[in-house]
C-alpha cells in the first residue's frame, strides 16, 4: 500500500524538520520529492504517481482549511481601515509590480504572469497563526491586524480560484443566498453536538458534505461552500471550540496536499532558480507591508511585528496554483518552503530585532496615532478586574456596591460591548499585548484581580504590573496548585484555587439554615488559605 509508505516518510521528515524549529510542512514537501526520486529507480517498488486516495485526502484538507478560515471570519476583525486597506493595497501593488517583471523575465503569457504574481502576493495563514500563537500574540494588536489581513487575502484567493476554475453555476445556485436563514438551525446543531466526537463530525459534515458537495452540485466552487458554512457559524460562542477540534484533522489532511505536490515530480534547475530568486525578493514584501501599516497610523513597533509575521509566501498560493497553474506547483512549493526557512527564525527573534532597529524605524511613524494604540489611563480607579468571564464578572458584581472606583478590562471586544450595555465600567485591553503595558497609566490603582482564563495572561500581567513598579495587592484564581505557585512567583500576592473557593462558598450558604454552621465556614476558609 503506497499510502502507508508516504505517510511514514512524511512523519519522519516532518519530525526531523520540527526538531530544528521549522514548520513540518517543509518536511512533507521534502518527503514527496524524496519519494519521487526513489520512484525513478526501477529497483525500488514505490509508485511514482499519486493515487486517488491521496488526491481525495489533499482536497479534504483544503476544504477543512477554508472552513476553519470561515469560522474566524468575524466582520469586526476584517472591517477596519488597516486590514481592508492594507490587504487590498498590498495585493494590488504586488500584482502590478510582479506581473510585468515575471512576464518580461520568464517570457510567459500575461495570464501566467498575473497568476504567479497573485500567488506570490499571499502570506501564510498557517505559519503566521502558529508563530503568533506560540508567542501568545494572537490577541495583541499587531496579531489581530495580521490575522485580519490574512483573512482578507484568503477571500481574495477564493475569488481568484472561482474565476480561474471557470465554473458556470446552475439556476439552483440562487439557493445560496438563503443560507443565512439556516443559521438558527445550525446553531442548535452546534449546541446539541456537545464537546467530543459529535462536534468534530458536525464540522466534517458542514465543511465536506453541505459545503463541499452541496456547492459543487449547484455548479459552485466546493472551496467557496466550505468557507461560507464556516462563516455562517463564525459568531456562535463555540465557533472557536469547533475550529480547535478540527485543527488536527485539518492538519493531517493537509499533509496529503503538500505530499502530493512533492510526489508530482522532482524540481528541475529552472524551478530551483525560480524559488531562489523569489526568496531573495521576499524582503520587499515585508517592507511594503511595513510602510502600508505606517500609512494607516500604526506605530513603528506594531508595523514591524505585523510585517514580519506576513513576510512569507502562502500555502494558499499553492491552492490557487493547483486550480489556475498546475504546472507551476513545484516551483511555487519550493518558494513557499524557502520563505518558511527565512521567516520562521526571524519571527522568533522579532522583538529583539525591533529593539535593535527601533531607532531607525521610529522616525517613520505618523504623528497621528491609531485609536487602538493611544495611551491608556485608568484615572482615579482604585480596583481593577482583568478578565470579564464568569469569575471576573462575579468579582466585579460583588465589589460594585462597595467600591465606587472600580474598572474592568477584557480583550474580547464583543464581551466589552455586552458588559457596557449592562452598565458595567469595562474597557478593552489585552494583558498579552506589550503595547498596552507600555502605554498604561495607573496612578491610583491599589488592587488588581487577575480573572483571565489563560494562565499565560495571568503570568504576564503579574510580571508586567511589578515591572511597572506597582506595589499594590494582586490576587488571582486558578484550577491547579502548580499554576497557583507560578502566579505567586510571577508577582501576585495570592492565587486561590477555584474549586476550593467554590466549596467554601457552598458551605457558607448553610448559614441560612442554622447559625451553628457558621463555624465550619471559617475553618474551611482558613484551610483553603493554607493550601494556597
Amino acid at each position: 500500500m503506497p499510502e502507508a509508505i508516504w505517510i511514514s516518510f512524511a512523519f519522519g521528515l516532518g519530525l526531523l524538520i520540527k526538531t530544528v524549529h521549522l514548520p513540518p510542512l517543509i518536511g512533507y514537501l521534502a518527503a514527496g520529492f524524496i519519494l519521487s526520486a526513489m520512484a525513478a529507480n526501477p529497483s525500488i517498488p514505490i509508485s511514482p504517481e499519486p493515487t486517488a486516495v491521496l488526491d481525495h485526502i489533499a482536497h479534504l484538507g483544503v476544504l477543512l482549511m477554508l472552513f476553519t478560515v470561515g469560522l474566524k471570519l468575524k466582520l469586526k476583525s476584517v472591517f477596519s481601515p488597516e486590514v481592508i486597506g492594507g490587504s487590498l493595497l498590498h495585493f494590488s501593488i504586488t500584482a502590478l509590480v510582479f506581473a510585468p517583471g515575471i512576464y518580461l523575465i520568464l517570457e510567459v503569457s500575461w495570464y501566467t504572469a498575473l497568476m504567479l504574481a497573485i500567488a506570490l502576493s499571499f502570506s501564510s495563514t498557517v505559519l503566521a497563526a502558529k508563530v503568533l500563537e506560540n508567542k501568545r500574540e494572537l490577541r495583541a494588536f499587531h496579531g489581530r491586524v495580521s490575522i485580519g489581513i490574512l483573512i482578507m487575502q484568503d477571500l481574495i484567493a477564493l475569488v481568484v480560484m472561482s474565476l480561474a476554475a471557470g465554473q458556470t453555476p446552475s439556476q439552483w445556485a440562487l439557493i445560496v443566498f438563503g443560507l443565512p436563514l439556516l443559521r438558527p438551525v445550525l446553531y442548535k446543531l452546534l449546541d446539541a453536538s456537545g464537546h467530543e466526537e459529535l462536534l468534530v463530525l458536525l464540522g466534517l459534515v458542514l465543511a465536506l458534505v453541505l459545503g463541499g458537495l452541496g456547492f459543487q452540485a449547484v455548479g459552485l466552487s466546493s472551496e467557496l461552500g466550505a468557507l461560507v458554512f464556516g462563516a455562517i457559524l463564525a459568531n456562535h460562542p463555540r465557533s472557536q471550540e469547533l475550529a480547535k477540534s478540527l485543527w488536527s484533522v485539518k492538519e493531517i489532511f493537509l499533509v496529503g496536499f503538500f505530499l502530493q505536490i512533492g510526489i508530482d515530480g522532482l524540481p528541475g534547475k529552472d524551478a530551483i532558480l525560480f524559488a531562489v530568486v523569489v526568496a531573495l525578493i521576499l524582503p520587499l514584501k515585508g517592507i511594503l507591508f511595513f510602510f502600508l501599516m505606517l500609512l494607516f497610523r500604526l506605530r513603528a513597533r506594531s508595523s514591524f511585528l505585523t510585517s514580519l509575521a506576513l513576510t512569507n509566501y502562502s500555502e494558499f498560493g499553492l491552492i490557487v496554483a493547483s486550480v489556475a497553474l498546475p504546472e507551476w506547483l513545484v516551483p511555487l512549493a519550493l518558494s513557499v518552503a524557502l520563505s518558511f526557512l527565512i521567516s520562521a527564525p526571524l519571527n522568533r527573534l522579532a522583538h529583539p530585532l525591533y529593539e535593535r532597529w527601533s531607532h531607525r524605524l521610529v522616525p517613520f511613524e505618523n504623528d497621528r496615532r491609531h485609536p487602538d494604540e493611544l495611551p491608556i489611563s485608568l484615572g482615579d480607579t482604585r480596583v481593577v478586574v482583568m478578565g470579564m468571564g464568569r469569575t471576573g464578572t462575579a468579582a466585579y458584581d460583588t465589589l460594585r456596591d462597595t467600591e465606587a472606583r472600580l474598572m474592568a478590562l477584557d480583550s474580547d471586544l464583543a464581551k466589552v460591548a455586552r458588559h457596557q450595555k449592562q452598565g458595567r465600567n469595562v474597557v478593552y485591553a489585552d494583558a498579552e499585548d506589550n503595547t498596552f503595558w507600555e502605554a498604561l497609566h495607573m496612578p491610583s490603582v491599589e488592587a488588581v484581580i487577575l480573572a483571565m482564563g489563560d494562565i499565560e495572561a495571568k503570568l504576564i500581567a503579574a510580571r508586567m504590573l511589578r515591572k511597572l513598579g506597582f506595589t499594590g495587592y494582586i490576587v488571582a484564581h486558578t484550577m491547579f496548585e502548580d499554576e497557583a505557585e507560578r502566579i505567586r512567583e510571577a508577582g501576585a500576592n495570592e492565587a486561590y484555587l477555584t474549586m476550593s473557593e467554590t466549596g467554601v462558598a457552598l458551605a457558607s450558604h448553610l448559614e441560612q439554615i442554622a447559625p451553628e454552621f457558621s463555624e465550619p465556614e471559617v475553618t474551611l476558609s482558613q484551610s483553603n488559605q493554607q493550601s494556597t
Side-chain angles (χ1 to χ4, degrees):
M1 184 178 178
E3 287 85 3
I5 299 174
W6 297 344
I7 292 171
S8 300
F9 263 83
F11 172 76
L13 287 176
L15 183 62
L16 180 63
I17 292 295
K18 188 177 184 298
T19 57
V20 293
H21 305 290
L22 291 173
L25 71 83
I26 298 175
Y28 308 150
L29 287 170
F33 290 138
I34 292 172
L35 287 166
S36 182
M38 293 173 63
N41 188 338
S43 62
I44 302 177
I46 295 180
S47 172
E49 298 295 331
T51 66
V53 174
L54 189 60
D55 288 339
H56 194 54
I57 289 175
H59 185 58
L60 294 182
V62 172
L63 294 183
L64 285 174
M65 178 180 177
L66 287 165
F67 181 72
T68 54
V69 168
L71 289 172
K72 300 175 183 177
L73 193 56
K74 296 183 180 180
L75 296 182
K76 65 181 181 182
S77 67
V78 177
F79 284 165
S80 63
E82 62 273 10
V83 169
I84 295 178
S87 57
L88 292 178
L89 282 173
H90 191 277
F91 171 77
S92 302
I93 293 171
T94 303
L96 289 173
V97 172
F98 277 21
I102 293 172
Y103 173 78
L104 293 173
I105 296 173
L106 299 181
E107 298 181 353
V108 294
S109 66
W110 273 110
Y111 173 81
T112 300
L114 180 60
M115 286 299 169
L116 284 174
I118 289 174
L120 294 172
S121 70
F122 303 133
S123 300
S124 172
T125 303
V126 172
L127 180 62
K130 285 185 175 180
V131 165
L132 291 169
E133 185 177 27
N134 290 339
K135 295 193 295 181
R136 304 289 180 179
E137 294 176 354
L138 271 175
R139 291 183 296 176
F141 177 65
H142 68 274
R144 289 185 283 118
V145 172
S146 301
I147 295 299
I149 289 174
L150 289 166
I151 290 174
M152 280 293 297
Q153 289 183 344
D154 294 344
L155 293 175
I156 294 170
L158 198 60
V159 172
V160 172
M161 287 169 60
S162 299
L163 294 174
Q167 292 176 311
T168 304
S170 70
Q171 65 270 25
W172 294 104
L174 295 175
I175 297 175
V176 171
F177 293 102
L179 286 178
L181 298 176
L182 292 177
R183 184 178 282 114
V185 178
L186 296 178
Y187 276 20
K188 287 183 179 179
L189 285 174
L190 185 52
D191 289 331
S193 297
H195 303 277
E196 298 177 352
E197 67 275 4
L198 277 178
L199 183 64
V200 178
L201 286 175
L202 175 65
L204 294 176
V205 168
L206 294 178
L208 309 180
V209 181
L210 296 181
L213 292 178
F215 270 55
Q216 201 169 25
V218 296
L220 294 172
S221 165
S222 58
E223 289 85 0
L224 175 63
L227 182 77
V228 166
F229 271 90
I232 290 174
L233 293 175
N235 288 318
H236 191 282
R238 294 182 60 199
S239 62
Q240 295 313 302
E241 181 187 351
L242 177 58
K244 289 179 180 178
S245 68
L246 289 173
W247 182 268
S248 296
V249 180
K250 178 202 71 175
E251 293 289 288
I252 290 171
F253 284 163
L254 276 177
V255 171
F257 178 76
F258 295 113
L259 193 58
Q260 183 189 43
I261 294 171
I263 293 175
D264 277 335
L266 285 171
K269 292 181 180 179
D270 292 340
I272 295 173
L273 180 62
F274 174 86
V276 171
V277 171
V278 166
L280 290 175
I281 62 175
L282 183 62
L284 297 178
K285 185 173 189 173
I287 292 171
L288 178 57
F289 266 125
F290 176 75
F291 283 103
L292 286 175
M293 293 299 100
L294 290 176
L295 180 66
F296 288 98
R297 296 183 293 155
L298 270 67
R299 295 192 312 152
R301 180 180 181 276
S302 297
S303 300
F304 178 80
L305 296 177
T306 300
S307 61
L308 203 58
L310 299 174
T311 303
N312 43 64
Y313 298 120
S314 174
E315 66 284 344
F316 230 126
L318 303 182
I319 296 172
V320 172
S322 67
V323 175
L325 298 171
E327 69 276 12
W328 283 89
L329 260 180
V330 172
L332 285 172
L334 279 177
S335 303
V336 171
L338 286 179
S339 76
F340 283 12
L341 286 171
I342 297 169
S343 180
L346 287 177
N347 273 284
R348 286 202 301 274
L349 300 172
H351 294 282
L353 287 175
Y354 176 76
E355 294 299 325
R356 177 177 295 182
W357 298 335
S358 59
H359 66 286
R360 296 186 179 182
L361 300 177
V362 170
F364 291 108
E365 283 184 354
N366 197 314
D367 292 335
R368 297 174 58 198
R369 290 288 178 85
H370 189 283
D372 284 354
E373 298 202 290
L374 293 175
I376 298 173
S377 176
L378 301 185
D380 64 348
T381 300
R382 201 168 78 96
V383 179
V384 177
V385 179
M386 302 191 71
M388 285 296 284
R390 287 176 295 181
T391 304
T393 302
Y396 183 97
D397 290 343
T398 301
L399 291 168
R400 68 191 305 182
D401 294 332
T402 57
E403 179 54 60
R405 293 184 290 163
L406 177 64
M407 180 182 288
L409 311 176
D410 198 276
S411 62
D412 188 327
L413 287 170
K415 195 181 293 182
V416 169
R418 185 173 70 251
H419 283 300
Q420 289 175 346
K421 286 182 180 178
Q422 294 171 353
R424 298 184 181 94
N425 183 22
V426 183
V427 298
Y428 172 81
D430 183 4
E432 298 181 74
D433 185 358
N434 285 335
T435 305
F436 161 70
W437 296 108
E438 291 172 358
L440 180 64
H441 300 289
M442 42 187 294
S444 303
V445 175
E446 297 178 15
V448 178
I449 299 174
L450 304 181
M452 302 88 87
D454 184 11
I455 176 64
E456 289 298 329
K458 295 171 187 172
L459 294 174
I460 291 172
R463 291 191 193 105
M464 293 304 298
L465 284 167
R466 295 310 186 198
K467 186 176 180 181
L468 290 174
F470 178 67
T471 58
Y473 192 76
I474 302 175
V475 62
H477 79 97
T478 184
M479 294 290 291
F480 307 105
E481 178 61 39
D482 61 325
E483 290 184 353
E485 184 61 32
R486 291 173 64 193
I487 294 171
R488 285 191 288 268
E489 289 175 355
N493 297 88
E494 196 54 84
Y496 291 97
L497 298 180
T498 306
M499 301 311 293
S500 297
E501 288 295 295
T502 302
V504 173
L506 285 173
S508 68
H509 288 289
L510 293 178
E511 291 182 53
Q512 301 174 13
I513 301 174
E516 61 265 23
F517 287 110
S518 61
E519 184 63 29
E521 176 199 349
V522 175
T523 305
L524 282 169
S525 179
Q526 292 173 347
S527 173
N528 179 71
Q529 290 181 11
Q530 291 173 1
S531 68
T532 55

